[in-house]
Amino acid sequence: MTNVTSWGTGYRSGALVVDKETGEVGVTQGATERVYTVKSVRDGSLWTAHASRLRIATTEERAKLGIGPRGVN
């Protein structure tokens, strides 16, 4: 799921994303322009990544973490 922001389409806070450069999975914490702060689901560390480096985690990736499909609580 994405939201429209002042700079276009972006990820909502709390989105489960994958950093395409590192393979790290994390949860978006917020963004400034197109740079996101992401919290690792592995160890809780924070990193920043430009929106172009991120993608939404797949259903399979979510299942490996014990998280249901998107849109299911």
Side-chain angles (χ1 to χ4, degrees):
M1 174 181 278
T2 57
N3 290 332
V4 176
T5 63
S6 61
W7 39 266
T9 302
Y11 301 111
R12 64 174 170 74
S13 185
L16 187 66
V17 296
V18 176
D19 186 319
K20 296 184 283 188
E21 288 185 11
T22 66
E24 185 76 25
V25 180
V27 178
T28 57
Q29 303 295 297
T32 303
E33 291 301 312
R34 296 187 56 85
V35 177
Y36 286 84
T37 300
V38 185
K39 185 174 184 178
S40 171
V41 296
R42 180 178 45 84
D43 63 10
S45 63
L46 296 174
W47 79 92
T48 58
H50 189 273
S52 63
R53 280 181 42 185
L54 301 175
R55 65 170 175 78
I56 291 290
T58 65
T59 300
E60 293 78 18
E61 290 163 331
R62 294 175 67 84
K64 285 181 185 177
L65 294 168
I67 302 170
R70 290 186 302 258
V72 176
N73 294 328

